[in-house]
Amino acid sequence: MSQLRIVVFTFALLFLNFFSNGSSAQTKLPSKEETEILIKKATQHMRSANFEKSLVTSLKALDYANSINDNHLIAISYNIIGANYNYLAEFDKAISFYKKGINYANKIRNDTIKYRLNNNLGNTYCFEKKQYGIGIDYYKKALEYSQKAADTSQIMVTKLNLAWAYFEIDDFNDGFSYLKFVNKHHLKFGDKSTIVALNMLNGMYYGNKGENKKAESYFLNAIKLGNVGAEKMNLSFSHHEYSKFLFKNRDYKNAYKNLEFYNKITKELYSKEKLAKANTVGINLELDEYKRKLDAIGIQNKLQNQSLRKSRIILFLFYGILCVLLLLLYSLYNNYKLKNKKNAELTLANEELVLAKEKAEEASMLKTQFVSTISHELRTPLYGVVGITNMLLDEHKELEHSPHLSSLKFSARYLLSLVNDVLQINKIEENRIVLESLTFNISDEINMIKNSLSFLAKNNDNTITVKIDSAIPDSLIGDKLRFSQILMNLVSNALKFTKNGKVFIIANLVEVRDKFNFVEFQIIDNGIGIADADQDKIFDKFVQVGRKETDYQGTGLGLSIVKRLLHLFDSTISLQSKLGLGSTFTFTIGFEHNLDKTIEIINNIQVDLTAKQIYKVLVVEDNKINQLVTQKIIKKNNYICTLADDGFQALEILEKEYFDIILMDINMPVMNGFETTRKIRFKGIKTPIIALTAFTKAEIIEEGISAGMNDIMIKPFEPVKLYQVITDQIHKTKNAG
């Protein structure tokens, strides 16, 4: 088929030459300056996404360059044509024209055009064909040419592209070496065409490093610069990468919004009308390219065909053109059918994706509602447990040293921490929990855990033995509550799966480095043990083993939480176990030992110094136990406390009496705390209102502030903290007045 086309066009060329010999000698050749002007216009049209005009103009420039036999301008023209096809997603054609440009560029001594062509091939192979190895090789060739030309701006562009390519294949270490160079020299040698991409790449890098605030700042700056500049293509990429960053950080709403911006900008840059017109020009360009190839063949056959009669030439010409047109129409028809098929497939895929997205959002919403409800329902009774325990300790001083009451208080605090972590296990996995620095004694903490679990030990006729290395300092600094939670989970597990046996808690100092003491902890039992097949999965969420013979209760979250909490301590856990012989869990944590810092922490512990002044407090709470606990806390500081069972009663009391502060529950029947607060503010009452709630602060802060609340405290809370907040809010209100 291709041979027939060559012959047909050869006859056509001979025919045209036959009639035009007399006039062609007088045709004036275009100048180099005219060709350069056309190249400049073609480039401008391409940058403004007017691919139709760009292709038409670059085609004319290519004709001019060929007519004056200027290899440099021919290479530049092919480069522009390849870039247009790249934007039109005709990547194989783009590669073909870039390589043609390289063939002409290799005939001249000009490193700049060689750099551009190799850089563009790198772009196409990396970001369109996804053949990153080939693309990176072209980028490195481009870098060599830019270094030969000593053009720092070219070096910066290529290194920017290399960083981008490595980031796309998650090779952030190799990519960062190039990004670091661009960051260092951009102010001096960079320009507006790369600043948007540079900010986007910084956002991708720091997002991968987990430095989310820094990453978000770069992404937002990229979008800001893209909106005011001309680089709309890089702006669309910035929205796309920012969307992926937000999706990774579970900000689905803003992720979806940025994805819409990406689609909108891309749609504007590649409208159907522009693509259709540019496609037509592209076909003409291909035909002209075939014509140029056939010119050489026509010249060789010219002498052989001069004897043919004109009529025969015309006949063959018409047949040839007819065949070409039929083939072209057939090709266009097949392309049209293929595009329709692909469009139908994409439409179906998009519909399925939208449906899947809606289901995922619905599931996420249900999960959020469930966690919120469970969190509230668990924290409410825990507030009563913690509060009544504190009341018992305050009212019965003879019980102050009771190990049972101390264990109850410790267990309640531990249970509250456990509830928070279990309900927010996603937060643990995303490393959004920050460890505290508190001073504590390891021996005291371990013995407290031993006493707290004594009832569980007695249930299974077990004994707990504690062995603590005397070389461990008395005062260490770390998050003792998280440490206790780890130990509590492991020891309770050992007791649960051991009967008539022994459980050992062993702590040994294994290393001292700088001011950190690394303590190895071992929890050893001689219980039922864990099978080899189960040892790799017991740290996964909701996994429970050993239920075949005995029903061991639990959620299956304990060891999963242990593993994730140890990760916060930069530690891991190991297991040795055999069925019927028992298990040994081992982990090491480094705690700081610094006497000066310990004294500073102790001195910074807040002490209640606010009890000298008497305030009138209105408590709006429907739960009787919580009323009792809150009232006791208020009266303990010599405040005057008045109780209201619901919002309506609170409004009636406020009509008759003045209060310094109002403590407002949120989840009340008939009229909740938000609505009650709005009605109070509507009446013009400026009394500060503090929400006392079992909801998490993030759930209610927006609605609470809009309703007119001044502050929020989460139950259970430390009384000293409540007194401090009450005093602060009263002083703020008086100063504002």
Side-chain angles (χ1 to χ4, degrees):
M1 186 63 70
S2 60
Q3 193 173 13
L4 174 62
R5 293 173 67 183
I6 290 173
V7 172
V8 169
F9 274 100
T10 301
F11 288 157
L13 290 167
L14 288 172
F15 178 76
L16 293 173
N17 287 334
F18 182 85
F19 286 105
S20 61
N21 277 338
S23 60
S24 61
Q26 298 179 358
T27 302
K28 183 180 178 181
L29 292 176
S31 66
K32 182 177 180 179
E33 289 74 15
E34 290 174 330
T35 309
E36 288 173 344
I37 290 171
L38 287 174
I39 288 173
K40 184 176 181 181
K41 288 181 179 180
T43 303
Q44 291 171 346
H45 290 317
M46 182 180 66
R47 287 179 176 172
S48 61
N50 194 336
F51 306 119
E52 177 192 4
K53 286 187 177 180
S54 181
L55 281 170
V56 169
T57 309
S58 56
L59 174 60
K60 189 174 181 181
L62 182 61
D63 287 334
Y64 279 19
N66 272 300
S67 66
I68 60 177
N69 199 27
D70 190 321
N71 290 329
H72 179 226
L73 295 179
I74 292 172
I76 293 175
S77 299
Y78 276 127
N79 184 46
I80 298 172
I81 294 168
N84 275 285
Y85 275 119
N86 194 75
Y87 282 123
L88 294 170
E90 297 282 352
F91 307 122
D92 291 330
K93 292 181 181 178
I95 290 171
S96 174
F97 282 104
Y98 287 144
K99 289 183 176 179
K100 289 178 183 178
I102 286 180
N103 289 336
Y104 283 92
N106 288 335
K107 298 177 182 179
I108 59 175
R109 293 183 178 181
N110 188 305
D111 292 325
T112 299
I113 185 59
K114 294 176 184 177
Y115 151 78
R116 290 176 182 171
L117 287 161
N118 280 281
N119 186 74
N120 287 345
L121 278 166
N123 288 340
T124 306
Y125 274 110
C126 282
F127 299 108
E128 312 302 349
K129 303 289 285 184
K130 305 302 180 185
Q131 298 177 16
Y132 292 99
I134 299 174
I136 289 172
D137 287 341
Y138 275 110
Y139 278 145
K140 290 182 177 178
K141 288 181 183 177
L143 190 58
E144 291 175 5
Y145 287 122
S146 62
Q147 289 169 342
K148 286 181 182 179
D151 191 330
T152 308
S153 62
Q154 292 178 0
I155 294 172
M156 286 188 57
V157 171
T158 305
K159 288 195 173 185
L160 187 78
N161 288 336
L162 278 164
W164 199 338
Y166 278 117
F167 285 3
E168 284 291 323
I169 58 175
D170 293 327
D171 190 348
F172 286 87
N173 289 332
D174 287 341
F176 181 67
S177 63
Y178 296 104
L179 180 63
K180 186 177 180 181
F181 176 90
V182 181
N183 281 329
K184 182 177 180 181
H185 299 286
H186 189 270
L187 286 176
K188 187 174 181 181
F189 301 103
D191 56 37
K192 295 180 181 179
S193 66
T194 57
I195 187 65
V196 176
L198 177 59
N199 276 274
M200 179 193 73
L201 290 176
N202 276 294
M204 292 170 67
Y205 174 74
Y206 287 109
N208 175 262
K209 293 284 287 183
E211 297 182 28
N212 292 339
K213 288 186 178 179
K214 205 168 184 178
E216 186 167 33
S217 175
Y218 276 112
F219 278 125
L220 293 176
N221 198 37
I223 292 169
K224 178 182 176 182
L225 293 170
N227 281 320
V228 300
E231 289 301 314
K232 300 306 178 186
M233 183 66 66
N234 288 338
L235 172 61
S236 72
F237 290 147
S238 298
H239 277 296
H240 190 242
E241 291 298 332
Y242 187 37
S243 171
K244 292 195 288 186
F245 168 81
L246 292 169
F247 187 86
K248 178 182 176 184
N249 288 279
R250 300 182 181 275
D251 189 353
Y252 301 117
K253 181 179 179 181
N254 285 318
Y256 183 73
K257 185 184 296 182
N258 276 272
L259 194 58
E260 284 186 326
F261 283 130
Y262 165 74
N263 290 332
K264 180 182 178 183
I265 296 170
T266 305
K267 186 176 180 182
E268 290 174 356
L269 291 176
Y270 303 100
S271 68
K272 290 184 178 179
E273 182 180 358
K274 286 182 180 178
L275 294 177
K277 290 182 179 178
N279 192 37
T280 303
V281 175
I283 292 171
N284 293 332
L285 181 63
E286 287 185 64
L287 291 174
D288 286 340
E289 190 67 11
Y290 293 146
K291 179 177 178 295
R292 267 186 290 276
K293 289 181 179 179
L294 294 172
D295 281 342
I297 301 172
I299 292 171
Q300 295 175 7
N301 296 326
K302 182 177 180 180
L303 296 175
Q304 300 175 11
N305 294 292
Q306 284 180 346
S307 60
L308 295 176
R309 291 187 303 173
K310 298 179 182 179
S311 59
R312 190 175 179 184
I313 295 173
I314 294 173
L315 180 63
F316 275 105
L317 177 63
F318 277 115
Y319 276 120
I321 292 173
L322 181 61
C323 289
V324 172
L325 289 174
L326 288 174
L327 288 172
L328 183 60
L329 288 172
Y330 179 73
S331 176
L332 289 173
Y333 176 70
N334 280 340
N335 286 338
Y336 175 75
K337 286 177 63 178
L338 181 62
K339 286 183 179 179
N340 281 346
K341 182 180 177 182
K342 293 297 181 184
N343 286 338
E345 292 174 355
L346 287 173
T347 301
L348 180 61
N350 285 335
E351 290 174 355
E352 291 175 351
L353 285 172
V354 170
L355 182 61
K357 176 179 173 294
E358 290 174 352
K359 288 182 178 179
E361 289 176 345
E362 182 180 358
S364 177
M365 183 180 68
L366 290 174
K367 177 185 174 184
T368 301
Q369 291 174 348
F370 172 78
V371 169
S372 176
T373 303
I374 291 297
S375 173
H376 182 271
E377 293 302 318
L378 287 173
R379 286 196 183 102
T380 297
L382 275 175
Y383 176 59
V385 172
V386 174
I388 291 173
T389 303
N390 288 330
M391 287 164 51
L392 287 172
L393 287 171
D394 289 339
E395 295 177 2
H396 299 276
K397 297 298 183 182
E398 69 277 8
L399 298 176
E400 185 175 358
H401 301 290
S402 168
H404 303 297
L405 200 56
S406 297
S407 296
L408 174 62
K409 183 176 181 180
F410 176 84
S411 298
R413 290 175 57 207
Y414 161 75
L415 181 58
L416 176 63
S417 175
L418 180 60
V419 166
N420 287 337
D421 285 343
V422 171
L423 295 176
Q424 299 179 36
I425 195 164
N426 288 335
K427 182 178 178 182
I428 300 175
E429 291 173 345
E430 294 171 4
N431 294 327
R432 290 190 285 124
I433 288 180
V434 179
L435 295 179
E436 296 181 348
S437 293
L438 303 171
T439 181
F440 69 101
N441 181 279
I442 280 184
S443 179
D444 291 344
E445 292 299 317
I446 293 178
N447 283 303
M448 179 70 75
I449 291 170
K450 175 185 176 182
N451 293 334
S452 298
L453 296 177
S454 59
F455 68 96
L456 182 58
K458 291 178 182 178
N459 285 344
N460 288 345
D461 295 322
N462 294 322
T463 60
I464 303 175
T465 302
V466 176
K467 295 182 180 180
I468 300 175
D469 190 347
S470 60
I472 300 174
D474 291 335
S475 61
L476 295 174
I477 298 173
D479 194 324
K480 65 177 183 178
L481 191 59
R482 305 293 178 188
F483 163 69
S484 298
Q485 187 175 342
I486 293 168
L487 217 55
M488 181 75 83
N489 271 312
L490 293 173
V491 176
S492 61
N493 251 25
L495 292 169
K496 184 166 60 174
F497 292 97
T498 303
K499 288 190 176 180
N500 300 313
K502 297 180 180 179
V503 174
F504 293 87
I505 307 174
I506 301 174
N508 287 311
L509 183 64
V510 293
E511 183 185 0
V512 177
R513 189 164 64 240
D514 295 330
K515 293 185 178 181
F516 281 84
N517 288 253
F518 290 85
V519 182
E520 180 187 78
F521 298 92
Q522 289 184 305
I523 312 301
I524 305 173
D525 68 72
N526 58 355
I528 64 173
I530 302 170
D532 291 341
D534 295 327
Q535 290 183 17
D536 290 335
K537 62 185 179 182
I538 61 170
F539 293 101
D540 294 336
K541 292 186 290 186
F542 307 112
V543 171
Q544 295 173 308
V545 298
R547 283 185 173 268
K548 293 181 180 178
E549 299 177 359
T550 308
D551 184 20
Y552 298 105
Q553 296 181 352
T555 62
L557 286 172
L559 292 179
S560 176
I561 292 174
V562 165
K563 182 178 179 181
R564 285 159 175 78
L565 289 177
L566 281 173
H567 179 71
L568 297 179
F569 285 100
D570 292 327
S571 179
T572 57
I573 189 167
S574 62
L575 166 65
Q576 292 180 338
S577 182
K578 289 187 178 180
L579 282 176
L581 297 179
S583 305
T584 299
F585 289 87
T586 306
F587 62 92
T588 302
I589 297 179
F591 294 111
E592 187 178 359
H593 175 57
N594 186 330
L595 292 178
D596 293 336
K597 191 173 180 179
T598 299
I599 294 171
E600 182 183 351
I601 291 172
I602 294 172
N603 290 336
N604 287 335
I605 295 176
Q606 292 185 347
V607 180
D608 178 23
L609 301 175
T610 64
K612 300 298 181 182
Q613 193 167 352
I614 298 175
Y615 296 125
K616 291 181 65 178
V617 183
L618 175 63
V619 177
V620 187
E621 169 70 69
D622 66 305
N623 186 291
K624 296 298 182 182
I625 295 176
N626 289 350
Q627 280 186 358
L628 175 63
V629 172
T630 305
Q631 187 179 41
K632 286 288 185 180
I633 292 172
I634 295 300
K635 288 186 175 181
K636 180 184 175 183
N637 208 45
N638 296 322
Y639 293 168
I640 299 172
C641 181
T642 301
L643 297 175
D645 293 330
D646 53 51
F648 290 107
Q649 188 177 356
L651 290 169
E652 292 177 2
I653 293 172
L654 287 169
E655 289 283 351
K656 305 171 185 177
E657 196 172 349
Y658 168 80
F659 291 90
D660 295 294
I661 197 85
I662 300 170
L663 305 183
M664 181 72 67
D665 184 32
I666 298 298
N667 193 23
M668 295 186 296
V670 184
M671 184 166 60
N672 63 34
F674 297 129
E675 186 61 29
T676 304
T677 301
R678 289 189 186 94
K679 291 185 180 295
I680 291 172
R681 295 301 184 221
F682 183 74
K683 290 178 176 291
I685 299 172
K686 304 295 184 182
T687 303
I689 300 174
I690 302 172
L692 300 186
T693 178
F695 289 108
T696 59
K697 195 167 186 177
E699 291 179 277
I700 66 169
I701 187 168
E702 185 175 344
E703 188 172 0
I705 292 173
S706 65
M709 291 178 171
N710 300 85
D711 207 338
I712 298 168
M713 292 200 67
I714 308 302
K715 303 174 187 175
F717 49 78
E718 292 296 330
V720 171
K721 180 64 177 175
L722 177 63
Y723 303 148
Q724 182 182 2
V725 172
I726 287 175
T727 304
D728 288 346
Q729 290 300 331
I730 290 174
H731 287 169
K732 284 181 183 178
T733 303
K734 288 182 177 178
N735 291 336

